Amino acid sequence: MSPRTTAASAKVNSKQALQLVTALMAIPGKSGEEGNIAAEIVGRLRKAGLPEKQITFDAAYKKSPIGGETGNLIVKLPGTIRGPRRLLMAHMDTVPLCVGAEPVRKGNLIHSKSNQTALGADDRGGCSVILNALLTILEQDLPHPPLTFCWMVQEEIGLVGVRNLATGKLGKPKLCFNWDGKLADMICIGATGDSGMLIHISGIASHAGAHPELGVSAAVIAGKAIEDLVENGWHGLVLKGKESGSSNIGVLSGGAATNVVMPELTIKAEARSHNPRFRQKILNEFKKAFQKSAKTTKNSLGKRGSISFESHLKYDSFRLSEEEPAVQTAKQAIQKLGGQPKLTIGNGGLDANWMAAHGFPTVTLGCGQQDIHTTNETLMIDEYLKACEIGLLAATATETE
């Protein structure tokens, strides 16, 4: 091979990188509707000369509770230099608030033209970082170790795509990097775990005017249980001795008329903690509070309602050693560009949670996202371009050269 330039001297084309991220943010693609953004990425790769046989999709969407248009997009390149396989990843989906975004530049920021939509920097910024690295390698014929690139689906609805990732298609990578965050110098080496709860309350219906005393209100059972949880410190920020976590009741649905004592109510809630045992403790306290409330809430005849309680793991917590090769490699890339790496632990879920569970320790780096999931969302251009430089260094294994 006679590369037109060496990997060590390769540079990111800032103009092209900005055009790329602007184009990707303009494509609608909320969770489950990533078909168009996936097609755009594939089209650019094919135009750059990537053989079709190196582009695959898995069937993760077929295991999703919402279905979907496409699975995770996976691209594998054989190495032109020796070294362990490296994986670069980001997620394609955005929150629904981003649909219809028209990215415009103002100074050092890109924002949505309309104040009614978010931008989609989360995570089209990350998608563009890894796509830019791959396109630069293809266009400049850069030497590189074996590489895998993954664009994940359905991250925003609970890491569904990566949870159902066909890991056998990855080629056994040893160093894994995920772009999904704010500052390019930040290296996230751990994140909390999250368990969901589905609580169904069955009360007793009665006429709310003629015989309210014969009813058992599901709303009253819920209210007493929630009050119990709040008063005893199990709702919201949960601090118990050296343990910490959080919980939230996010969805309540029930009732159909004001003249009927509410017979049914369904609650969706969550519990988070870096300690799986403490997270289970929060779940147990929720169940106990609702059972107690149902037992002590009676009608005039002494009859009670009941509850059913289900919990499920959304993703488990993880924590990487600072000596993990991917952590050290990320630090070296940032330092080579004159940055100061900062190791962080996240309190939200990342695709890296499930990558760790699959056996692929993954660091997450920032790519310029700011005020995500709001109409004030912006992409910080300087941070995004720095992330592109880091991504190219990681992909070409030149962070120490």
Side-chain angles (χ1 to χ4, degrees):
M1 182 184 71
S2 300
R4 293 189 293 275
T5 185
T6 65
S9 64
K11 286 289 185 181
V12 168
N13 184 317
S14 297
K15 183 178 179 180
Q16 289 184 7
L18 285 174
Q19 289 174 339
L20 177 62
V21 72
T22 301
L24 294 194
M25 289 190 295
I27 300 173
K30 65 181 182 180
S31 304
E33 297 179 8
E34 300 94 345
N36 287 338
I37 183 65
E40 176 69 17
I41 293 170
V42 170
R44 288 175 180 263
L45 292 175
R46 296 290 290 118
K47 186 177 179 181
L50 186 70
E52 188 171 347
K53 66 181 180 180
Q54 292 177 228
I55 304 171
T56 61
F57 287 88
D58 70 9
Y61 71 104
K62 293 183 179 180
K63 299 179 182 179
S64 168
I66 68 167
E69 296 176 344
T70 186
N72 301 305
L73 169 57
I74 302 168
V75 172
K76 283 169 55 181
L77 272 64
T80 62
I81 59 175
R82 293 178 64 85
R85 179 173 291 274
R86 298 181 174 205
L87 179 145
L88 287 73
M89 60 182 285
H91 69 86
M92 292 187 285
D93 61 316
T94 66
V95 295
L97 190 62
C98 299
V99 174
E102 296 180 60
V104 294
R105 179 172 180 173
K106 183 180 292 185
N108 191 41
L109 298 174
I110 298 177
H111 61 94
S112 178
K113 182 177 181 180
S114 169
N115 61 9
Q116 300 299 308
T117 63
L119 178 64
D122 175 19
D123 187 29
R124 299 300 170 73
C127 288
S128 301
V129 165
I130 68 172
L131 179 56
N132 180 78
L134 179 48
L135 291 174
T136 301
I137 288 170
L138 295 174
E139 292 165 0
Q140 298 183 24
D141 198 15
L142 299 177
H144 58 83
L147 294 172
T148 302
F149 293 81
C150 292
W151 288 267
M152 302 295 185
V153 296
Q154 301 187 29
E155 188 267 0
E156 297 289 4
I157 58 169
L159 317 183
V160 172
V162 69
R163 179 173 188 162
N164 297 300
L165 174 66
T167 57
K169 295 179 179 288
L170 303 182
K172 299 180 180 180
K174 300 301 182 184
L175 294 90
C176 301
F177 310 92
N178 178 42
W179 274 268
D180 187 8
K182 187 176 182 179
L183 301 177
D185 287 356
M186 303 293 281
I187 305 172
C188 185
I189 62 171
T192 192
D194 187 355
S195 293
M197 290 175 269
L198 181 63
I199 306 164
H200 184 77
I201 304 171
S202 296
I204 299 175
S206 68
H207 194 292
H211 296 289
E213 74 282 0
L214 297 180
V216 174
S217 173
V220 170
I221 294 174
K224 289 169 63 176
I226 294 170
E227 182 181 23
D228 185 334
L229 291 166
V230 171
E231 287 186 349
N232 289 290
W234 293 105
H235 185 269
L237 178 63
V238 182
L239 300 173
K240 300 291 182 180
K242 295 181 180 180
E243 300 292 351
S244 64
S246 65
S247 69
N248 183 57
I249 293 173
V251 179
L252 298 92
S253 56
T258 61
N259 62 350
V260 179
V261 173
M262 186 185 292
E264 307 286 340
L265 178 64
T266 298
I267 292 175
K268 294 181 181 180
E270 68 168 28
R272 300 188 185 215
S273 178
H274 291 273
N275 183 339
R277 291 187 298 275
F278 188 63
R279 191 169 67 246
Q280 184 61 51
K281 176 66 173 174
I282 298 173
L283 297 176
N284 293 342
E285 292 297 328
F286 262 69
K287 184 176 182 179
K288 187 190 303 182
F290 278 90
Q291 288 177 331
K292 176 183 175 183
S293 181
K295 185 176 181 179
T296 58
T297 304
K298 306 175 184 179
N299 67 7
S300 60
L301 301 177
K303 295 182 179 180
R304 307 182 180 94
S306 62
I307 71 135
S308 66
F309 182 95
E310 300 175 19
S311 64
H312 61 279
L313 177 67
K314 293 182 181 179
Y315 45 86
D316 213 342
S317 56
F318 77 100
R319 182 78 62 92
L320 303 183
S321 164
E322 293 186 25
E323 303 306 313
E324 180 68 39
V327 177
Q328 291 299 311
T329 298
K331 289 174 66 175
Q332 291 164 1
I334 291 168
Q335 290 168 340
K336 183 174 182 179
L337 295 171
Q340 296 294 323
K342 300 178 183 65
L343 302 184
T344 65
I345 304 295
N347 284 320
L350 297 163
D351 276 343
N353 286 69
W354 273 106
M355 288 297 287
H358 291 321
F360 302 101
T362 302
V363 297
T364 299
L365 301 109
C367 52
Q369 306 166 6
Q370 187 169 237
D371 297 323
I372 64 172
H373 300 187
T374 75
T375 56
N376 295 320
E377 182 183 15
T378 58
L379 180 75
M380 297 180 287
I381 292 173
D382 288 349
E383 294 297 321
Y384 164 70
L385 292 177
K386 189 188 300 183
C388 288
E389 296 280 2
I390 293 168
L392 186 58
L393 289 177
T396 53
T398 53
E399 68 281 341
T400 60
E401 294 181 11

